[in-house]
Amino acid sequence: MSNNTTGAGDDADRGGESSTDWAEAIGDGGLVVVSNRQPYSHTYDGDDIAVEVHAGGLTAGLDPVMQAVGGTWIAWGDGDADREVVDENDCVAAPPEDPGYTLRRIWLSDEEVDDYYYGFSNQVLWPICHSALTRVNEWQSYWERYRTVNERFVEAVEDHAEAGDIVWFQDYHFALAPAIARERVDDETLLMQFWHIPWPAWDTFRGCPHGEAILEGLLGNDLLAFHVARYRENFLACVEAAVDDAVVDHETGTVSYDGRTTQVTEFPMGVQADEIAERAASEEAAAFWDEFRAEYDLADTVAVGVDRLDYSKGIPERLRALEQFWERNPEWRGELTYVENGSESRSQIRAYQDIQARIEEGVERVNDRFGTDDWTPVVSFRDYISKEALAGLYRNSDLALISPIRDGMNLVAQEYVAAQVDDDGVLVLSDQAGAGSLLDAAVMVKPQDTCAFTDAIEEALTMPEAERRARMRHLRRQVTENDLAAWTALNLKAAMALRDASGSGATLSMEGQP
Ligand code: G6P
């Protein structure tokens, strides 16, 4: 997979995994992925039906895996034309233009979407896992429908999974499904889950409504993986504190409970580094940038932020640091533009409406305060841009400001690094993102420490060229070595090892782990 057109692949030993490795890792058994979001949705465009690609990190990351391995991907069919294109089993071939696997759609009623998705998933588990206890809202119906929707997804798993297959649940929408599935699928079917968001400390998690049931549900997995070691440790501590009869072995990362063993581990998710570098160097990326720069009359130096508009992303905090930066450094007025590409998210939830309004107010405040006829300090746009355009935006931005207050990994930070084919950008990164554990040559910030954040922007903008390049080269190596293929191989090979060892009582060898 690694090609050396950008030079980034030179040292990529872990990044040298290929799709053949993934397919081999699966062996004879099949793969069934379960996620809330689907990778492709069908929507009406007048009388025609259009295909939309979901650009979120989880779906964008798993689609190439499924294309390489094949199998079935079970997800919520949320497109208004989704039902038009499925067969009698609610399945459609994906990707639509070049089928490589089966997409099985689950239909959710409005009440199910309200209670399971907007409710328990995004107003209980999301805030709890991001340590935002004050944002938790719980209603009985949230919990009840979370359970019944988990059951409905498991019913679909029963339709598709055969003995020896690997069922791979994704994320916090399915905390109950593994234990339900364990009762219903063949013993030889391996159940695993990747938790894409943080896992909080026990002192936070103990505030989680139905927390014990959540933990027990997850212990239905044979393998449970988080992005970084501290989330794994937090999870094990929560199990130890809350689940009677569970025996936790911190050294091997195993939990014995209810006659079974769950291996708990950490595999940091990566991005398709080589593909992003290629896109960044493409003509389309360059054309986008020329047009974009002219349209918005950008200053000579550009900082970028790309975010889902979520309260966990630290966007108002970033705007405050920028405001203080321009206040302290008047010579940078007219010389630096901050470009914010935000995508609207979960807007039915009050907290998300509020954060969008706060971000808009912040942008207006900074622009009113410092903007001139020739210069807009903050250019904020919501448009979807192509992957090539995005890579062009990253490549040509002198710095990236990635400042989540809490974030499982943050793949945008890695994408920015992967696109630095000229080795000359600076990554300013929150130490509250999982990516902070991986990308040790970034300029680290605490997003809510406005003074220190402002200092970090100053440091990034004035960093000597040699240091800037050395840091970026190091970061690119890290992102390439820990790319998406490496992450996939870690997950699937660990699953295979457990499947092969099942019955022997063996646990996963932690050797060679990041
Ligand atoms: C995070 C979650 C994903 C989710 C994505 C987009 O990255 O870990 O599971 O798909 O956000 O959020 P949405 O609610 O639009 O699916």
Side-chain angles (χ1 to χ4, degrees):
M1 179 208 75
S2 293
N3 67 53
N4 290 341
T5 49
T6 64
D10 297 1
D11 319 88
D13 30 281
R14 286 187 59 232
E17 302 281 355
S18 72
S19 49
T20 328
D21 297 315
W22 302 340
E24 274 171 14
I26 293 290
D28 293 336
L31 178 63
V32 177
V33 162
V34 182
S35 75
N36 175 62
R37 278 280 163 215
Q38 57 178 347
Y40 302 94
S41 57
H42 289 86
T43 51
Y44 283 113
D45 179 12
D47 288 340
D48 297 333
I49 292 180
V51 176
E52 279 180 17
V53 182
H54 198 266
L58 186 157
T59 46
L62 283 168
D63 182 53
V65 177
M66 288 302 281
Q67 288 191 38
V69 175
T72 306
W73 186 332
I74 302 171
W76 166 31
D78 65 335
D80 59 6
D82 275 351
R83 285 173 198 260
E84 295 299 319
V85 297
V86 294
D87 64 16
E88 66 280 11
N89 299 314
D90 297 330
C91 292
V92 60
E97 73 288 358
D98 183 18
Y101 61 93
T102 300
L103 174 59
R104 161 78 190 269
R105 287 178 168 148
I106 304 292
W107 314 118
L108 299 180
S109 67
D110 289 349
E111 292 78 19
E112 284 172 329
V113 173
D114 284 349
D115 290 336
Y116 142 82
Y117 172 71
Y118 289 111
F120 202 81
S121 297
N122 285 312
Q123 292 186 71
V124 179
L125 287 176
W126 179 272
I128 288 275
C129 289
H130 288 83
S131 301
L133 287 173
T134 54
R135 297 190 193 258
V136 174
N137 291 315
E138 223 280 295
W139 291 93
Q140 193 176 341
S141 60
Y142 290 0
W143 173 242
E144 283 164 4
R145 286 222 173 78
Y146 184 80
R147 175 178 290 284
T148 51
V149 170
N150 269 246
E151 271 167 14
R152 294 198 43 215
F153 275 80
V154 172
E155 280 158 21
V157 168
E158 289 178 85
D159 292 343
H160 296 277
E162 291 173 11
D165 282 1
I166 291 174
V167 178
W168 195 5
F169 297 104
Q170 306 295 325
D171 231 347
Y172 58 101
H173 311 88
F174 300 110
L176 299 180
I180 301 169
R182 192 69 283 162
E183 299 293 314
R184 301 195 188 171
V185 299
D186 192 281
D187 278 351
E188 283 177 28
T189 303
L190 187 121
L191 303 180
M192 64 191 278
Q193 187 149 12
F194 195 85
W195 195 263
H196 292 256
I197 64 176
W199 192 279
W202 166 239
D203 192 44
T204 298
F205 189 76
R206 71 192 180 86
C208 184
H210 311 287
E212 194 181 329
I214 296 292
L215 292 166
E216 286 172 356
L218 289 169
L219 292 176
N221 283 299
D222 298 292
L223 175 64
L224 172 63
F226 297 91
H227 285 294
V228 296
R230 62 179 182 276
Y231 307 155
R232 181 201 64 205
E233 282 308 315
N234 286 343
F235 177 81
L236 292 175
C238 289
V239 171
E240 217 160 28
V243 185
D244 292 343
D245 303 331
V247 178
V248 175
D249 183 334
H250 287 268
E251 207 153 296
T252 56
T254 51
V255 181
S256 306
Y257 176 65
D258 207 15
R260 309 186 42 264
T261 301
T262 303
Q263 177 76 56
V264 186
T265 188
E266 82 271 8
F267 296 143
M269 191 171 182
V271 296
Q272 289 187 290
D274 292 346
E275 285 81 345
I276 293 170
E278 266 173 43
R279 281 183 212 127
S282 69
E283 279 176 22
E284 199 181 333
F288 164 81
W289 180 248
D290 288 346
E291 211 176 290
F292 185 80
R293 162 153 247 162
E295 184 183 345
Y296 290 102
D297 206 5
L298 304 182
D300 283 351
T301 304
V302 174
V304 69
V306 176
D307 306 273
R308 210 166 37 73
L309 299 176
D310 193 294
Y311 51 80
S312 65
K313 300 291 181 188
I315 306 167
E317 291 73 10
R318 192 181 310 163
L319 292 169
R320 266 211 301 276
L322 282 160
E323 184 172 4
Q324 188 164 302
F325 170 78
W326 278 306
E327 185 184 299
R328 265 204 219 159
N329 300 279
E331 71 281 13
W332 276 97
R333 296 182 199 162
E335 299 299 320
L336 169 73
T337 306
Y338 170 62
V339 176
E340 167 72 31
N341 180 209
S343 46
E344 199 182 315
S345 180
R346 307 175 193 163
S347 298
Q348 288 190 29
I349 300 174
R350 183 65 195 271
Y352 286 79
Q353 295 162 7
D354 290 349
I355 195 69
Q356 283 172 28
R358 269 186 73 198
I359 293 165
E360 271 167 38
E361 277 161 30
V363 171
E364 265 174 41
R365 188 184 70 241
V366 177
N367 284 345
D368 285 350
R369 184 163 173 201
F370 300 115
T372 63
D373 288 348
D374 318 317
W375 173 61
T376 307
V378 179
V379 168
S380 169
F381 74 107
R382 301 273 175 272
D383 312 338
Y384 168 79
I385 56 175
S386 72
K387 287 178 176 176
E388 285 71 19
L390 183 60
L393 176 62
Y394 287 140
R395 177 185 181 177
N396 291 287
S397 295
D398 303 275
L399 41 154
L401 303 179
I402 316 279
S403 57
I405 294 168
R406 215 21 91 86
D407 206 338
M409 170 51 76
N410 197 295
L411 297 175
V412 170
Q414 297 194 37
E415 288 175 2
Y416 175 74
V417 169
Q420 293 307 300
V421 290
D422 313 297
D423 285 332
D424 62 351
V426 182
L427 174 64
V428 178
L429 177 62
S430 164
D431 69 356
Q432 300 296 306
S437 303
L438 188 71
L439 304 175
D440 58 8
V443 176
M444 290 296 177
V445 289
K446 292 208 186 297
Q448 286 156 315
D449 183 343
T450 310
C451 275
F453 197 164
T454 309
D455 293 344
I457 298 173
E458 288 169 1
E459 182 191 341
L461 286 170
T462 56
M463 190 179 284
E465 186 181 345
E467 181 183 347
R468 202 158 30 96
R469 288 185 181 281
R471 283 188 187 227
M472 187 46 74
R473 271 196 298 273
H474 179 76
L475 289 171
R476 287 187 68 206
R477 217 166 20 244
Q478 290 179 319
V479 165
T480 307
E481 287 174 7
N482 296 284
D483 70 357
L484 181 70
W487 174 80
T488 309
L490 283 172
N491 278 279
L492 296 183
K493 286 182 176 171
M496 284 295 292
L498 282 178
R499 195 173 61 179
D500 293 347
S502 68
S504 70
T507 55
L508 176 64
S509 160
M510 305 301 267
E511 220 171 282
Q513 268 202 48

